[in-house]
Amino acid sequence: MRKHVTLVHFQCILFCLGGFLLLREGVVGDPRAQTVNITCGRQLEHNSTIFVPNFVATMENISEQMRSSGFGVALTGSGPDQNYGLAQCYGDLSLLDCVLCYAEARTILPQCYPFNSGRIFLDGCFMRSENYSFFEQYKGPEDKAVCGNATQKTSTFQESARQAVSLAVASAPNNKGYARAQVPVSGTNESANVLAQCWRTLNASSCTACLENASSSILGCLPWSEGRALNTGCFMRYSDRDFLNKEQSSGSSRGTVIVIVVSVVSSLVVIAVGSAIGVYVWKHRYIQKKRKGSNDAEKLVKILYDSSLNFKYSTLEKATGSFDDANKLGQGGFGSVYKGVLPDGREIAVKRLFFNNRHRAADFYNEVNMISSVEHKNLVRLLGCSCSGPESLLVYEFLPNKSLDRYIFDQIKGKALTWDRRFEIIVGTAEGLAYLHENSKIRIIHRDIKASNILLDSRLRSKIADFGLARSFQEDKSHISTAIAGTLGYMAPEYLAHGQLTEKADVYSFGVLILEIVTGRQNNKSKSSDYTDSLVILTWKKFQARTIEELFDPNLMLHDHHNSNVKSDILRVLHVGLLCTQESPSLRPTMSKALQMLVTEELLPAPANPPFMDESTLELGDTCEDVSYPLNVGPPSSVATVSYSSFRPR
């Protein structure tokens, strides 16, 4: 057992997190990681099996350079799928802020795929990828200015802005392409602030030409209070707001920078940060949280390296036949999954996580941390991960029958799931969730319970998978306030409306899953020519009208000879599903109570109405913040408390 976490080990974890979690002592500024513009090329990649590894390798090569100098160039491969890359932070960013900004850029730029090129301007850094050498280009047809239009400024501000732009353009070429200027506005307490930055691949004359073009276009934004020039070889910005980070000391690893300050800075904001701070960049424009210690990251390091969870990338690549499409098991929002066979003959499932989306770093950490800390027969077992290659990989036990959705939503495959098997799947899922909520060392909420995340073993027994969105919290907390994430159709109304997460969100999702298993219909695709209500509402209405048998999946009766007993069982399970999907979370049972209702003959209360009874509330806007759902619980159902005496517990 290794007693100490080495720097190499920690860097490995940083890579697995996509470079988003950093450990550093010092002052945290603003990485300015908000996207200004992304432009994708028009030519498709030539061969994805060559282009993708080349692109990933280029990004990682640049990552290493960014961590030491704030600038990186790389070339990977040859021929039509060769990849040239460049990334650079603007001169006022510290190395810490620089890596955070680049981490954002490298997760957004892959959105250009399957086109083979793209460039992204953030307010703190730039990244570009092409299939040809562009390093000495300083102008092009894509050059443009982006103007702010919130406030029109006075003529005195405009004059100060012109002076500041002129000063920056004159100074940057002789200062490694970087300059900043601040010119006070006469008769006011504000100033015009300017940043000018050329890419380091340009010589002084090319930098001058680029900035002169940029200044000409950016001054066209006046009289507006803000303007940015997005040019092939440089970036320039002016603003009436002091957006620049404070000067770095001469002892900084970035070196001394020449700063043009015409006015005396009246105040400095110094943010004291404790040692060993782990910083996540995704939430807001400014880094707002202090974290005392890096316990989470160090725990992950120990998990990986002290318990033999780490796999060599080459081993997994060979096991999957270089991720051959013939071995592909499925594709999800967070990556592709491949079947593999290890040298010792063990079958495994490998989740491949390149082309990360914005939140993949935190999700990767969650998945490793959550699933490695729990063990239950109804949870998919994590065997390890790979942090040593060009991609992040998770390794799971192999489950030959894949996911539940492949059966219940397919009229042919659905015949393999008799009622007894479906009931066993429902109970197994309930047992796994009850363990996560109540019996593990930490309270864990899965957040994405749905049929595609329920995997089936060789005997068609259920195992809960995909812990990328899972969250844990302390016993003394009633709920977590968090960004909304999950799958529409399975998310509880209070979570959608307010972002308040409790175990009852999983209970709601489980209730939807029950209804899908019994009916063979998918809740979030329920608006079709056959029926207009969601599956939850439709089931509740049929239950109220005592015609719920009309919803039974016809496959349920094919292999059962005691149809009267089976019918009673199904009615009871649907009743439990409706109790789990009630609008008010306080009325929903806990998972342990739901499990008890499933396997005993106790009397069941009448379910109250489900959410979204007003169908207009199902029309979602562009952002979750715009979604609002009525949370008033309607009158109790008129259906009396029901008992199912013929129910046969398993």
Side-chain angles (χ1 to χ4, degrees):
M1 297 284 287
R2 293 175 174 83
K3 296 182 179 179
H4 301 286
V5 178
T6 68
L7 178 60
V8 174
H9 292 165
F10 188 64
Q11 287 175 336
C12 173
I13 301 306
L14 294 185
F15 169 68
C16 280
L17 298 185
F20 307 126
L21 179 63
L22 299 176
L23 188 65
R24 177 188 171 101
E25 296 182 7
V27 176
V28 178
D30 178 9
R32 299 203 300 272
Q34 56 273 16
T35 300
V36 178
N37 179 264
I38 179 171
T39 303
C40 299
R42 297 180 180 180
Q43 182 177 346
L44 295 173
E45 47 79 19
H46 178 259
N47 185 330
S48 62
T49 59
I50 300 175
F51 171 79
V52 169
N54 285 350
F55 179 79
V56 173
T58 296
M59 285 199 301
E60 183 53 26
N61 188 335
I62 291 175
S63 291
E64 295 297 327
Q65 300 173 60
M66 295 293 281
R67 285 195 278 268
S68 61
S69 67
F71 167 78
V73 292
L75 165 63
T76 306
S78 60
D81 287 302
Q82 65 184 345
N83 189 264
Y84 291 81
L86 178 150
Q88 182 171 330
C89 291
Y90 308 150
D92 66 313
L93 263 63
S94 67
L95 276 178
L96 172 59
D97 294 326
C98 176
V99 176
L100 292 172
C101 188
Y102 171 68
E104 175 82 351
R106 69 172 284 183
T107 58
I108 298 176
L109 193 61
Q111 293 176 6
C112 285
Y113 182 81
F115 296 104
N116 66 359
S117 63
R119 64 181 74 178
I120 180 172
F121 287 88
L122 281 70
D123 264 335
C125 60
F126 168 84
M127 184 179 181
R128 184 178 178 186
S129 173
E130 300 281 356
N131 70 333
Y132 65 88
S133 178
F134 60 88
F135 298 144
E136 296 180 358
Q137 290 182 351
Y138 65 89
K139 64 179 179 179
E142 296 87 0
D143 295 352
K144 63 180 177 180
V146 176
C147 304
N149 58 1
T151 307
Q152 289 194 18
K153 306 301 292 185
T154 63
S155 59
T156 52
F157 173 86
Q158 295 178 51
E159 179 58 31
S160 295
R162 292 188 183 95
Q163 291 181 29
V165 167
S166 178
L167 286 168
V169 170
S171 299
N174 299 317
N175 185 44
K176 298 181 180 180
Y178 163 65
R180 55 194 284 170
Q182 189 177 65
V183 176
V185 178
S186 177
T188 71
N189 59 359
E190 67 176 359
S191 60
N193 306 279
V194 170
L195 177 144
Q197 181 72 68
C198 292
W199 315 145
R200 295 188 198 176
T201 51
L202 299 186
N203 58 32
S205 61
S206 295
C207 178
T208 298
C210 187
L211 290 178
E212 287 177 348
N213 291 337
S215 64
S216 176
S217 62
I218 200 175
L219 291 176
C221 288
L222 292 172
W224 300 115
S225 60
E226 190 114 43
R228 296 171 176 84
L230 314 180
N231 282 34
T232 300
C234 59
F235 172 85
M236 182 177 286
R237 178 183 179 185
Y238 81 80
S239 178
D240 63 346
R241 182 172 60 86
D242 187 2
F243 61 89
L244 292 157
N245 285 322
K246 303 307 176 184
E247 292 185 56
Q248 300 176 56
S249 67
S250 59
S252 168
S253 59
R254 296 289 296 279
T256 304
V257 295
I258 298 174
V259 183
I260 306 165
V261 180
V262 182
S263 64
V264 177
V265 180
S266 59
S267 63
L268 294 176
V269 179
V270 180
I271 306 174
V273 183
S275 62
I277 298 178
V279 182
Y280 285 102
V281 71
W282 310 121
K283 297 293 184 182
H284 302 287
R285 292 182 62 186
Y286 295 92
I287 295 182
Q288 298 175 341
K289 288 189 177 181
K290 289 199 302 179
R291 295 187 178 181
K292 298 179 179 179
S294 59
N295 293 335
D296 288 343
E298 290 188 8
K299 286 178 183 178
L300 181 54
V301 175
K302 289 181 179 294
I303 289 171
L304 293 177
Y305 288 95
D306 292 345
S307 60
S308 301
L309 282 174
N310 191 46
F311 283 80
K312 290 183 178 179
Y313 179 83
S314 58
T315 299
L316 299 178
E317 186 178 34
K318 184 177 180 180
T320 59
S322 297
F323 303 102
D324 192 322
D325 282 345
N327 292 322
K328 192 171 183 178
L329 299 174
Q331 175 84 35
F334 295 145
S336 303
V337 182
Y338 296 80
K339 179 183 179 181
V341 180
L342 295 174
D344 60 8
R346 281 186 297 164
E347 293 182 318
I348 56 173
V350 180
K351 182 185 284 190
R352 193 183 192 192
L353 301 172
F354 64 76
F355 278 10
N356 296 343
N357 70 29
R358 171 183 288 259
H359 299 287
R360 188 58 243 178
D363 296 336
F364 178 91
Y365 172 78
N366 269 320
E367 194 145 6
V368 175
N369 189 45
M370 293 288 184
I371 200 169
S372 61
S373 65
V374 296
E375 187 174 352
H376 189 273
K377 65 182 178 65
N378 294 111
L379 304 180
V380 172
R381 188 159 60 97
L382 177 71
L383 303 179
C385 67
S386 169
C387 299
S388 57
E391 309 161 44
S392 300
L393 304 174
L394 293 172
V395 185
Y396 294 96
E397 63 176 316
F398 174 69
L399 297 174
N401 284 309
K402 302 181 181 179
S403 55
L404 176 61
D405 61 313
R406 294 171 180 261
Y407 289 84
I408 59 175
F409 303 136
D410 187 302
Q411 287 300 311
I412 303 301
K413 291 184 178 180
K415 295 177 181 179
L417 293 184
T418 63
W419 171 243
D420 285 343
R421 282 177 171 165
R422 296 192 194 209
F423 182 78
E424 185 178 12
I425 289 169
I426 292 170
V427 170
T429 304
E431 290 176 344
L433 281 173
Y435 169 78
L436 290 175
H437 291 179
E438 302 169 23
N439 296 323
S440 60
K441 295 179 181 179
I442 53 175
R443 295 166 64 190
I444 296 177
I445 303 174
H446 187 280
R447 272 211 306 179
D448 202 20
I449 293 297
K450 57 184 178 181
S452 60
N453 283 339
I454 306 300
L455 303 187
L456 304 177
D457 67 11
S458 58
R459 293 175 54 187
L460 295 174
R461 293 173 300 191
S462 60
K463 289 178 179 283
I464 300 171
D466 202 337
F467 283 71
L469 297 181
R471 292 292 181 268
S472 64
F473 59 104
Q474 303 299 321
E475 288 292 336
D476 59 349
K477 300 292 184 182
S478 63
H479 68 271
I480 303 174
S481 294
T482 181
I484 297 171
T487 305
L488 286 175
Y490 301 88
M491 290 190 284
E494 73 280 0
Y495 179 45
L496 268 173
H498 306 297
Q500 293 190 349
L501 183 65
T502 70
E503 292 98 332
K504 295 300 182 72
D506 276 353
V507 173
Y508 182 88
S509 302
F510 174 71
V512 175
L513 180 66
I514 285 180
L515 305 186
E516 291 183 333
I517 292 174
V518 173
T519 65
R521 305 185 186 196
Q522 194 167 355
N523 185 53
N524 63 354
K525 290 185 178 179
S526 60
K527 285 193 172 184
S528 70
S529 58
D530 296 330
Y531 51 100
T532 57
D533 287 326
S534 72
L535 178 60
V536 175
I537 293 174
L538 180 65
T539 305
W540 189 74
K541 288 181 177 179
K542 295 286 187 181
F543 184 85
Q544 295 288 83
R546 300 183 182 273
T547 57
I548 200 169
E549 297 173 41
E550 297 175 5
L551 296 180
F552 289 3
D553 187 337
N555 284 327
L556 291 179
M557 303 298 182
L558 291 179
H559 304 291
D560 295 290
H561 302 293
H562 305 288
N563 286 347
S564 60
N565 290 336
V566 170
K567 175 184 172 182
S568 180
D569 292 358
I570 297 173
L571 288 171
R572 182 181 184 90
V573 170
L574 280 173
H575 192 148
V576 174
L578 290 173
L579 292 173
C580 291
T581 54
Q582 294 175 103
E583 183 176 73
S584 172
S586 63
L587 295 179
R588 297 174 211 147
T590 62
M591 279 311 309
S592 58
K593 181 62 176 178
L595 178 60
Q596 180 183 338
M597 290 175 174
L598 288 169
V599 299
T600 66
E601 296 185 11
E602 68 177 63
L603 296 177
L604 300 180
N609 63 280
F612 317 130
M613 289 302 291
D614 177 4
E615 282 293 288
S616 64
T617 63
L618 287 175
E619 302 302 325
L620 299 179
D622 291 333
T623 61
C624 289
E625 289 78 10
D626 295 331
V627 179
S628 177
Y629 294 100
L631 297 179
N632 297 324
V633 179
S637 168
S638 60
V639 178
T641 299
V642 181
S643 125
Y644 299 91
S645 59
S646 61
F647 181 79
R648 295 168 289 124
R650 274 88 174 168

